[in-house]
């Protein structure tokens, strides 16, 4: 029997790495459970069952309702990913995939983050999630394993938030309310015409926060326009504006302070009035064309990000880079892509990406919460160019081979304009040339069972922050090399009894030149390549319908992530939990009521390389109740959410290798939240 056959799927309206492998696809067993999921993060368009990688796609309506202020909420339960909420609005959600990204003290490192194919990750591997308009996300897709290295720098994993074009003309208003005077209001206008659709969204958020000196304010606006130029051409325009004038930072706590009172705030945070303001603007234009057996896409994006942040110390030392960060960033990129179906057995694709990033960075003394004297003034430039190719070859009716190569050239340049006798010239430049490669072999044993093996070699360059200084002398740290990795994976996927979807994978990752903190002195932090690391483990995911009304999803992750050489040999990588477990039940009641229950477990998490302190393990239970009313063209949706039912005291996230020992970001106790949304369709 021939299991490989075209799916005939429509193209998803995402321009980045969405490659239709029309002749090298394998048939899904049943539309009911497999739903012919369009997988985009793997650079192919295939069903979940036959994708040669650990990839999970979760729809928003499957998860518990959220306040849409934390990007990690939609990631809950996905195996292999650790999404930690800091409950600190001045710091982004912490995201780790199979140990990649664990060293990040703030933001996200080592991972590729996209929204509808447009990258959130910068050329040097840094990314922030705070600019995402979470109301627009319909689903999220997470790719783990060797195929992720084909994304080049920051290829430790891929997280793609996906939205939908408007289906009906409508207007809606919504509100979410919670403890600590948390208020959020949103408005949404959508229009559907014969050849184009658009939507306008706006939100306003404010809260006093769960701790003193923890308040936040944020406004967001977004615009989407989809235009069908012809039957074979489409144009998509996106624009986002995110303005957060006040994000107070209560700081992480030491373990002893957390045990004493997890709701307290560090006195230094009050003394130095620690806070952050952000203004992020980003626009993109995407064009796609389907013609005969070929597909072409071009995407361009441009953005600006302004940040002012006050840190909890003065930064007055002559060699310090200051404790008030004033950063203005511009970034832009262009991606051209083409795919050709050569025959019934082979598809080939190729692409080229050009990205630029320019930062003007000031550092000033924090004079008790006010701007003080200048300590840093420099321009940072990054130019990144990538060329990639991929082939999908149907070797036999139930065998498929996938392979790809990607060449990356990344240039760093720093021009220092603050030069004194005590603070010498830190100007310099550095270039990295790296090659990534991956291959995967898939065997579809039956219409409901498939297995795969894959291998990849990737890299991760230091970020600008990590390259900025060296211990002796001035200028860029030229001794800091990229971290390289080799990844192996074997997986099994099955559809059981037409109602259950099972995914099981084993992985082994060997890394060289792991980038670690070397010294941290009065705001100036240096990094070093110090160790080899080894990461291996397995992931399990099982989802299906127990009855027509009751749906269940369980997942489990076990990872051993350790240093493999040097003085740290045998120690666990900080920031990586060895075990994670998740379970969720969705029960559809009568008259459009739905009850949802979830439980999540997180194992101990070390806070530093020395493994002397760890955040304790915890289990947390949540519950939600949803209700929908339909009256003519009017629809009303409401929900009630109880987080942390047992009022468990636990650590939401850790700050890795924090010099002062303040490594625990406290989570919140039991919390009640409500949401209400009114929609009028036209």
């Amino acid at each position: 029997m021939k299991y490989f056959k075209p799916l005939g799927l429509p193209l998803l309206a995402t321009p980045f790495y969405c490659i239709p492998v029309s002749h090298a696809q394998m048939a899904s067993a049943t539309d009911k459970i497999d739903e012919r999921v369009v997988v985009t993060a793997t650079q192919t368009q295939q069903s979940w069952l036959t994708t040669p990688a650990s990839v999970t796609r979760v729809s928003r309506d499957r998860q518990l309702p959220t306040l849409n202020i934390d990007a990690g909420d939609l990631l809950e339960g996905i195996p292999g990913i650790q999404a930690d909420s800091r409950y600190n609005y001045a710091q982004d959600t912490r995201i780790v995939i199979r140990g990649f990204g664990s060293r990040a003290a703030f933001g996200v490192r080592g991972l590729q983050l996209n929204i509808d194919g447009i990258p959130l990750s910068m050329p040097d591997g840094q990314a922030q999630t705070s600019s995402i308009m979470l109301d627009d996300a319909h689903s999220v897709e997470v790719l783990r394993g060797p195929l992720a290295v084909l994304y080049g720098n920051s290829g430790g994993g891929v997280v793609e938030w996906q939205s939908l074009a408007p289906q009906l003309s409508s207007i809606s208003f919504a509100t979410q309310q919670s403890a600590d005077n948390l208020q959020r209001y949103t408005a949404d206008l959508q229009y559907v015409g014969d050849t184009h659709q658009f939507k306008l969204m706006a939100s306003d958020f404010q809260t006093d926060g769960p701790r003193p000196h923890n308040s936040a304010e944020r406004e967001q606006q977004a615009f989407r326009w989809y235009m069908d130029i012809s039957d074979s051409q489409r144009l998509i325009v996106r624009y986002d504006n995110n303005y957060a004038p006040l994000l107070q930072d209560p700081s992480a706590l030491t373990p002893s302070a957390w045990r004493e009172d997890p709701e307290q705030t560090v006195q230094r945070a009050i003394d130095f009035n620690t806070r952050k303001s952000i203004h992020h603007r980003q626009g993109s234009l995407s064009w796609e064309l389907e013609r005969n057996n070929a597909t072409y896409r071009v995407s361009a994006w441009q953005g600006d990000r302004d940040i002012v942040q006050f840190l909890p110390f003065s930064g007055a030392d002559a060699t310090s880079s200051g404790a008030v960060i004033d950063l203005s960033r511009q970034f832009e990129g262009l991606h051209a892509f083409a795919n050709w179906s050569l025959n019934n057995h082979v598809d080939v694709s190729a692409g080229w990406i050009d990205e630029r990033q320019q930062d003007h960075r000031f550092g000033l003394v924090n004079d008790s919460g006010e701007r003080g004297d200048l300590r840093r003034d420099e321009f940072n430039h990054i130019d990144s160019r990538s060329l990639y190719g991929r082939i999908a070859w149907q070797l036999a009716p139930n065998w498929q081979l996938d392979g790809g190569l990607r060449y990356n050239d990344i240039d760093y340049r720093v021009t220092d304009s603050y030069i004194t006798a005590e603070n010498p010239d830190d100007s310099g430049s550095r270039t990295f040339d790296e090659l990534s490669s991956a291959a995967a072999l898939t065997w579809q044993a039956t219409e409901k069972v498939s297995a795969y093996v894959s291998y990849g070699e990737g890299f991760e360059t230091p970020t600008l922050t990590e390259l900025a200084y060296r211990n002796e002398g001035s200028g860029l740290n030229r001794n800091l090399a990229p971290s390289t990795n080799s990844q192996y994976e074997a997986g099994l996927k099955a559809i059981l009894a037409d109602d259950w979807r099972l995914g099981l994978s084993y992985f082994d990752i060997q890394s060289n030149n792991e980038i670690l903190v070397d010294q941290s002195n009065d705001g100036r932090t240096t990094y070093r390549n110090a160790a080899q690391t080894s990461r291996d483990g397995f992931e399990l995911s099982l989802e299906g319908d127990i009855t027509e009304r009751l749906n269940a999803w369980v997942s489990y992750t076990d990872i051993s992530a350790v240093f493999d050489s040097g003085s740290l040999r045998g120690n666990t990588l900080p920031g990586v939990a060895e075990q994670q477990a998740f379970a969720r039940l969705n029960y559809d009641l009568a008259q459009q009521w739905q009850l949802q229950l979830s439980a999540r477990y997180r194992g101990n998490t070390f806070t530093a390389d020395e493994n002397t302190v760890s955040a304790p393990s915890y289990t947390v239970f949540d519950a939600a109740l949803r209700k929908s009313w339909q009256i003519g063209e009017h629809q009303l949706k409401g929900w009630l959410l109880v987080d942390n039912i047992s009022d468990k005291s636990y650590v939401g996230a850790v700050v890795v290798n924090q010099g002062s020992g303040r490594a625990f970001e406290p989570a919140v106790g039991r919390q009640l939240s409500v949401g209400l949304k009114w929609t009028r369709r036209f």
Side-chain angles (χ1 to χ4, degrees):
M1 180 180 293
K2 183 176 181 179
Y3 299 125
F4 287 76
K5 64 182 182 181
L7 289 177
L9 292 172
L11 291 175
L12 194 66
T14 59
F16 197 74
Y17 290 144
C18 178
I19 305 175
V21 188
S22 58
H23 298 290
Q25 303 295 325
M26 291 175 280
S28 60
T30 168
D31 287 347
K32 180 177 181 181
I33 183 67
D34 193 45
E35 297 173 350
R36 297 182 181 263
V37 172
V38 181
V39 174
T40 63
T42 57
Q43 304 180 2
T44 63
Q45 184 180 344
Q46 327 181 213
S47 71
W48 166 84
L49 182 66
T50 60
T51 303
S54 293
V55 59
T56 305
R57 186 179 183 183
V58 180
S59 298
R60 174 185 290 276
D61 56 7
R62 291 286 192 177
Q63 299 284 54
L64 272 66
T66 73
L67 297 165
N68 288 336
I69 56 176
D70 191 324
D73 289 339
L74 197 53
L75 301 173
E76 279 195 2
I78 296 178
I81 190 168
Q82 183 178 329
D84 298 338
S85 176
R86 301 178 188 271
Y87 299 93
N88 178 349
Y89 302 104
Q91 305 292 338
D92 273 332
T93 303
R94 186 173 180 273
I95 300 178
V96 179
I97 295 181
R98 294 182 177 178
F100 289 102
S102 61
R103 77 177 187 274
F106 60 93
V108 179
R109 302 285 187 278
L111 307 175
Q112 180 68 37
L113 307 187
N114 296 332
I115 301 179
D116 287 341
I118 303 299
L120 282 174
S121 299
M122 295 293 106
D124 69 342
Q126 300 183 71
Q128 291 84 25
T129 61
S130 58
S131 59
I132 302 174
M133 186 76 168
L134 294 173
D135 306 82
D136 193 35
H138 174 264
S139 61
V140 67
E141 191 174 290
V142 177
L143 169 68
R144 294 91 68 197
L147 290 186
V149 305
L150 296 179
Y151 278 76
N153 194 18
S154 304
V158 182
V159 182
E160 173 110 18
W161 286 270
Q162 300 164 335
S163 64
L164 290 178
Q167 306 298 307
L168 293 170
S169 298
S170 65
I171 185 172
S172 64
F173 297 95
T175 183
Q176 297 92 34
Q177 308 280 327
S178 190
D180 308 310
N181 196 30
L182 189 152
Q183 305 174 52
R184 191 168 184 272
Y185 302 93
T186 61
D188 186 332
L189 174 64
Q190 303 189 19
Y191 171 78
V192 176
D194 293 335
T195 60
H196 63 275
Q197 309 89 41
F198 74 80
K199 54 183 170 182
L200 288 168
M201 296 166 287
S203 70
D204 184 85
F205 161 71
Q206 62 181 23
T207 180
D208 294 336
R211 300 160 62 192
H213 198 74
N214 197 186
S215 63
E217 300 174 10
R218 178 181 291 132
E219 301 173 0
Q220 290 178 279
Q221 299 87 34
F223 171 72
R224 313 281 185 264
W225 180 42
Y226 309 82
M227 180 179 180
D228 296 321
I229 301 173
S230 66
D231 292 340
S232 60
Q233 292 188 74
R234 197 179 202 198
L235 191 69
I236 304 172
V237 178
R238 298 172 51 95
Y239 181 76
D240 289 87
N241 181 55
N242 178 359
Y243 178 53
L246 178 62
L247 303 169
Q248 290 184 322
D249 188 350
S251 184
L253 301 176
T254 63
S256 59
W258 173 76
R259 292 184 179 93
E260 176 187 336
D261 178 11
E263 295 184 355
Q264 66 178 294
T265 291
V266 175
Q267 184 60 41
R268 291 173 65 89
I270 298 173
D271 294 341
F272 289 98
N273 194 13
T274 53
R275 63 195 187 275
K276 179 191 287 186
S277 65
I278 303 173
H279 194 187
H280 182 102
R281 292 86 68 199
Q282 182 169 349
S284 65
L285 177 67
S286 304
W287 168 84
E288 61 182 39
L289 168 67
E290 295 179 70
R291 178 169 293 172
N292 299 325
N293 294 321
T295 302
Y296 306 93
R297 293 189 184 88
V298 177
S299 300
W301 58 92
Q302 193 278 331
D304 302 273
R305 186 176 180 88
D306 299 322
I307 300 175
V308 177
Q309 183 173 14
F310 287 73
L311 301 175
F313 56 92
S314 69
D317 188 84
T319 61
S320 171
S321 56
V324 178
I325 301 169
D326 189 339
L327 172 69
S328 294
R329 170 174 296 164
Q330 291 184 330
F331 56 93
E332 54 269 344
L334 179 68
H335 178 209
F337 155 80
N339 168 255
W340 302 273
S341 296
L342 302 183
N343 52 47
N344 290 333
H345 303 286
V346 179
D347 274 22
V348 175
S349 59
W352 169 74
I353 303 174
D354 193 316
E355 297 178 278
R356 292 183 176 87
Q357 175 184 334
Q358 306 91 33
D359 294 353
H360 191 186
R361 186 184 297 267
F362 293 97
L364 305 100
V365 173
N366 185 343
D367 188 5
S368 300
E370 301 294 334
R371 289 171 177 261
D373 295 335
L374 186 67
R375 287 292 182 271
R376 188 177 188 179
D377 180 3
E378 65 185 36
F379 282 95
N380 304 324
H381 299 266
I382 303 176
D383 294 324
S384 174
R385 294 161 294 276
S386 302
L387 183 67
Y388 67 89
R390 183 183 170 106
I391 185 172
W393 182 13
Q394 183 179 330
L395 302 174
N398 57 345
W399 289 89
Q400 177 173 307
L401 179 66
D402 289 85
L405 291 170
R406 176 165 172 154
Y407 171 75
N408 301 264
D409 178 84
I410 306 174
D411 296 325
Y412 293 78
R413 302 188 309 279
V414 174
T415 303
D416 190 356
S417 299
Y418 181 74
I419 303 171
T420 67
E422 297 85 3
N423 195 327
D425 190 353
D426 288 317
S427 300
S429 62
R430 186 76 189 274
T431 298
F432 298 104
D433 297 295
E434 300 292 337
L435 185 68
S436 304
S437 61
L441 182 65
T442 308
W443 173 51
Q444 188 167 357
T446 71
E447 289 186 343
K448 297 183 180 181
V449 178
S450 69
Y452 67 90
V453 292
S454 60
Y455 173 77
E457 295 184 351
F459 72 97
E460 181 181 354
T461 66
T463 66
L464 266 174
T465 301
E466 293 162 346
L467 280 172
Y469 304 114
R470 53 185 177 177
N471 291 333
E472 295 181 1
S474 59
L476 291 180
N477 186 353
R478 297 177 183 276
N479 294 324
L480 195 60
S483 172
T484 59
N485 62 80
S486 299
Q487 302 188 40
Y488 304 83
E489 183 177 61
L492 175 70
K493 299 180 181 181
I495 295 175
L496 310 175
D498 292 341
D499 290 318
W500 290 85
R501 184 161 56 197
L502 169 69
L504 179 65
S505 62
Y506 169 80
F507 60 89
D508 184 280
I509 304 168
Q510 302 296 321
S511 296
N512 292 310
N513 291 325
E514 195 78 20
I515 300 172
L516 305 175
V517 172
D518 189 8
Q519 297 181 18
S520 182
N521 298 305
D522 200 18
R524 177 169 290 204
T525 303
T526 59
Y527 295 80
R528 61 190 173 100
N529 296 111
Q532 296 176 329
T533 66
S534 174
R535 284 165 266 181
D536 64 273
F538 69 90
E539 299 164 0
L540 170 69
S541 178
L542 180 64
E543 181 182 11
D545 295 328
I546 299 175
T547 69
E548 290 186 356
R549 292 180 175 271
L550 183 61
N551 174 269
W553 181 26
V554 295
S555 66
Y556 179 76
T557 301
D558 188 285
I559 180 173
S560 173
V562 298
F563 293 102
D564 232 8
S565 65
S567 61
L568 298 174
R569 184 181 179 89
N571 285 11
T572 297
L573 265 67
V576 181
E578 292 189 359
Q579 292 90 27
Q580 293 187 96
F582 178 82
R584 187 202 63 213
L585 290 173
N586 290 348
Y587 185 42
D588 293 330
L589 304 169
Q591 298 181 341
Q592 295 183 309
W593 287 89
Q594 184 186 60
L595 176 65
Q596 297 178 287
L597 302 172
S598 73
R600 62 186 187 275
Y601 167 80
R602 176 74 55 79
N604 293 344
T605 306
F606 288 105
T607 63
D609 298 336
E610 294 76 17
N611 286 184
T612 56
V613 177
S614 66
S617 62
Y618 64 85
T619 302
V620 175
F621 301 92
D622 305 322
L625 189 64
R626 297 177 186 258
K627 169 65 174 174
S628 179
W629 297 267
Q630 188 73 46
I631 306 173
E633 298 298 328
H634 299 265
Q635 183 183 64
L636 193 63
K637 291 183 177 181
W639 55 263
L640 179 71
L641 172 68
V642 181
D643 286 302
N644 194 0
I645 295 174
S646 62
D647 202 23
K648 174 75 173 179
S649 179
Y650 67 100
V651 177
V654 299
V655 182
V656 173
N657 289 324
Q658 217 284 339
S660 64
R662 297 192 301 272
F664 285 9
E665 295 270 17
V668 297
R670 185 186 301 113
Q671 183 170 280
L672 177 67
S673 305
V674 297
L676 191 64
K677 182 177 182 179
W678 169 82
T679 301
R680 170 69 165 90
R681 297 175 179 174
F682 300 97

